[in-house]
Amino acid sequence: MPWRDNPETYGWITRALHWGIAALILWQILGMVLRLALGRMPVVSLFVGLHQPLGATLFVLIAARLLWALAQRRRRPGHGRGPLARATRAGHVLLYALMVAVPALGLLRAWGNTRAFAPWGLPVFPARETEIAWATTLADRLHGELAWALTALILGHVVMALIHALHWCDGTLARMAGRR
Ligand code: HEM
């Protein structure tokens, strides 16, 4: 498998970023769904306890993915022409926008509140005496809402990938999941 993308298939760097980020986002969302469904239980604490460090890691991985996608944009498989292709492109742009915005808002809250933020023991934001209210309020209002919008968009993305694979049988899913 090539390391870079080409018009027939995605290379291994794109695939590693795609599936790694997908698994970590699934973990984040599953944890929050379990917290809503079960409340504070030991199994939920495992998810919730890792939410912030994993979210910070996701932010870095998603930034890398965005830069890599821009670098590969002229090499990778196209979406064709017509309304469906335009809708696909718009859906992907929205996915990228939400994937950046959701962890960025989480980090904004971590920056603006009074506690120190040190994901995996790495000092990122020091403790501060007074909260930066605009930052924490903005994050409080938008982080969860946009995360649920991202969840809905990911579900749509998965359904479309399955329709491509099982109904249209056009090899679209194989470009990201197949052997070539
Ligand atoms: C792609 C990455 C992320 C996803 C998908 C995600 C998703 C979510 C979801 C679905 C919720 C629940 C919202 C609700 O209760 O309605 C939530 C809450 C929260 N998130 Fe994130 N998040 C991510 C990254 C981050 C980051 C980077 C931070 C901070 C560094 C963060 C901090 C929080 C906090 C503090 C809460 C509230 C938890 C509580 O009420 O106990 N998240 N997140």
Side-chain angles (χ1 to χ4, degrees):
M1 186 186 302
W3 62 283
R4 288 187 299 183
D5 302 341
N6 64 52
E8 277 75 49
T9 195
Y10 292 103
W12 66 261
I13 293 183
T14 298
R15 291 178 188 219
L17 286 168
H18 177 273
W19 294 111
I21 288 169
L24 292 180
I25 289 183
L26 184 68
W27 173 278
Q28 296 288 77
I29 291 168
L30 186 65
M32 289 300 151
V33 169
L34 287 176
R35 196 195 60 169
L36 282 179
L38 305 175
R40 298 219 173 254
M41 289 179 67
V43 63
V44 176
S45 307
L46 172 67
F47 285 90
V48 174
L50 286 176
H51 188 86
Q52 297 196 23
L54 270 186
T57 308
L58 266 166
F59 181 76
V60 174
L61 288 175
I62 289 163
R65 181 174 180 185
L66 191 62
L67 293 177
W68 181 247
L70 287 173
Q72 298 297 296
R73 71 187 181 285
R74 294 191 199 291
R75 308 179 54 92
R76 48 179 47 183
H79 300 302
R81 289 167 186 277
L84 191 61
R86 278 200 296 277
T88 304
R89 265 192 293 274
H92 287 174
V93 168
L94 198 56
L95 261 174
Y96 273 106
L98 288 176
M99 280 196 302
V100 171
V102 170
L105 283 160
L107 291 174
L108 186 70
R109 178 165 40 205
W111 171 74
N113 71 27
T114 52
R115 289 184 303 277
F117 183 60
W120 316 115
L122 213 79
V124 173
F125 302 132
R128 60 173 79 246
E129 283 191 1
T130 38
E131 181 177 304
I132 300 178
W134 70 262
T136 52
T137 309
L138 188 71
D140 282 344
R141 293 221 176 118
L142 290 180
H143 177 70
E145 306 293 332
L146 292 187
W148 297 124
L150 176 62
T151 308
L153 205 63
I154 290 172
L155 284 176
H157 178 72
V158 171
V159 168
M160 285 312 296
L162 291 177
I163 291 176
H164 274 288
L166 304 175
H167 188 59
W168 295 332
C169 304
D170 60 4
T172 299
L173 180 58
R175 291 172 188 166
M176 192 58 94
R179 287 184 178 203
R180 271 196 313 165

